[in-house]
Amino acid sequence: MRTAFLFAAVVAFLATCVPETGPYPPPHEDRPAACTFEYPPVCGERHGQRETYGNACMMRAADARLVHQGQCRPATVSPRPPGGREQACTREYAPVCAVRQDQRRSFANACEAEAAQFRVVRRGECRG
């Protein structure tokens, strides 16, 4: 008898429980909740910066857009900069804002901006 009462009390308690939604907003429907670790790399772009992602699912999860299948090609070598020599840059991330004529663009670092023949105007990404 006591076991039946205890069982009924537990069932009644659990029936009053309401799932908590938590402080997080619901996931975007176009972004996956989890991705596999397959490695068919893709090149994606987000906020003007290209990056190689392990697969298309990881790229979408990072809210990037597809540029092409495969790894991103280094865009850090200029064919012939004003000095007449090729320029190779490191992949360090020290963002800069640079301009060329009336075009304004963010680069991962100053070397990449100069290789694309842009003039660095300040540290950090370009705003608005």
Side-chain angles (χ1 to χ4, degrees):
M1 181 79 159
R2 184 173 181 164
T3 306
F5 175 75
L6 183 59
F7 179 73
V10 169
V11 169
F13 174 75
L14 291 177
T16 62
C17 293
V18 177
E20 189 174 313
T21 59
Y24 307 106
H28 288 25
E29 292 177 16
D30 60 338
R31 282 196 233 156
C35 296
T36 63
F37 287 105
E38 299 174 77
Y39 189 70
V42 295
C43 181
E45 185 173 316
R46 182 172 179 244
H47 303 299
Q49 301 293 319
R50 289 186 178 188
E51 182 178 338
T52 299
Y53 294 90
N55 59 47
C57 178
M58 291 177 176
M59 179 202 63
R60 285 190 304 276
D63 202 25
R65 70 172 185 84
L66 179 67
V67 176
H68 60 78
Q69 298 291 326
Q71 296 184 352
C72 295
R73 295 175 192 92
T76 58
V77 177
S78 171
R80 289 286 169 203
R85 300 179 328 181
E86 288 185 0
Q87 183 172 350
C89 300
T90 63
R91 295 191 54 141
E92 85 178 295
Y93 184 71
V96 296
C97 180
V99 295
R100 178 176 65 191
Q101 296 170 358
D102 61 347
Q103 187 180 13
R104 188 172 163 158
R105 188 170 144 197
S106 296
F107 287 89
N109 59 51
C111 180
E112 288 187 8
E114 291 163 3
Q117 298 178 355
F118 276 69
R119 181 177 53 88
V120 175
V121 292
R122 69 179 184 80
R123 288 187 202 169
E125 293 182 0
C126 298
R127 306 252 188 257

